Amino acid sequence: RAADVVSGSYAWPAAATTYAQFNTAAFAYSYQRIVAAIGNSAPFDSPLAFDADGVAGVPTGAVLIYSNGELAKTGNATTVGATAKAASAYDSSGSAICLNAGTVATNATDRSASFDARTLFYLMSTDAAGATTNGYLKRVAIWNSRLSDGALQFLTASDEDQAAAAAWVLTDPVSTLPATLDIDFVGERVRDKKGKVVQKAKRYLT
């Protein structure tokens, strides 16, 4: 439905990795947010957003990490109507982003202090009126450390590729490191890590 938004309190750390599995229905305007970090300073940061600007205003479908401007942007792009996986990471040494196990894009700009000042998360939107992103979310997770580029590729690989690579030992213990925020959109309810229903899931479609 139009303007359905999930948001909540979250103390963004100075280093983090953000993962989302989503399906986009359309691109409407530049820098549509998948996950946004809001609070304390204007306007906002976004660990995962669509590059819906492109050349001559044509949406590219690439995914980027945004803080006071575009940081890193994926070279590959999402397809409207198709499920995608994206993950970004940042710390004081810079940021990185990966889409569907593609090449990891990086940037050495330190924006960790800006993220660290944020106190809220918004999913598929920002706090701006009418800024709802078109599409559906399946899962969002945030870790309070910057995972390696290889971990970003593993997280965003297809389920089949992840199963085939199960014997690969990651530098970062992705399978055992608990996420500080982990939301699964299953059926019509949102559950936390312990399986407790925290609210009904919302469909994001305008």
Side-chain angles (χ1 to χ4, degrees):
R1 298 195 309 265
D4 278 347
V5 174
V6 170
S7 62
S9 298
Y10 182 71
W12 287 85
T17 298
T18 304
Y19 165 85
Q21 186 172 358
F22 56 91
N23 184 313
T24 180
F27 301 111
Y29 60 94
S30 65
Y31 299 144
Q32 286 180 294
R33 269 62 185 180
I34 302 168
V35 180
I38 311 290
N40 286 349
S41 57
F44 45 75
D45 292 322
S46 185
L48 289 174
F50 289 117
D51 171 36
D53 215 357
V55 179
V58 178
T60 68
V63 178
L64 54 84
I65 179 170
Y66 181 99
S67 178
N68 194 36
E70 179 183 304
L71 295 179
K73 180 172 69 177
T74 61
N76 55 333
T78 58
T79 301
V80 170
T83 298
K85 296 179 180 180
S88 72
Y90 66 85
D91 61 11
S92 60
S93 67
S95 56
I97 191 164
C98 183
L99 172 66
N100 293 336
T103 300
V104 177
T106 60
N107 186 298
T109 303
D110 178 11
R111 294 293 298 169
S112 59
S114 182
F115 278 101
D116 193 36
R118 307 303 184 176
T119 57
L120 302 169
F121 73 89
Y122 275 66
L123 304 182
M124 301 296 268
S125 182
T126 69
D127 56 351
T132 306
T133 300
N134 300 326
Y136 300 87
L137 269 179
K138 182 174 182 181
R139 184 185 179 192
V140 171
I142 302 173
W143 290 264
N144 60 356
S145 64
R146 179 177 177 174
L147 302 184
S148 68
D149 292 355
L152 299 185
Q153 289 179 311
F154 181 83
L155 283 171
T156 60
S158 67
D159 294 343
E160 293 80 7
D161 287 344
Q162 286 181 340
W168 178 42
V169 178
L170 293 171
T171 302
D172 305 287
V174 174
S175 61
T176 58
L177 180 66
T180 55
L181 177 69
D182 192 346
I183 302 176
D184 274 296
F185 291 78
V186 180
E188 295 184 351
R189 297 184 182 277
V190 179
R191 299 178 183 272
D192 62 17
K193 289 286 287 183
K194 296 181 180 180
K196 179 182 177 181
V197 175
V198 293
Q199 70 178 81
K200 288 186 177 180
K202 298 175 185 271
R203 293 184 175 183
Y204 300 91
L205 178 63
T206 58

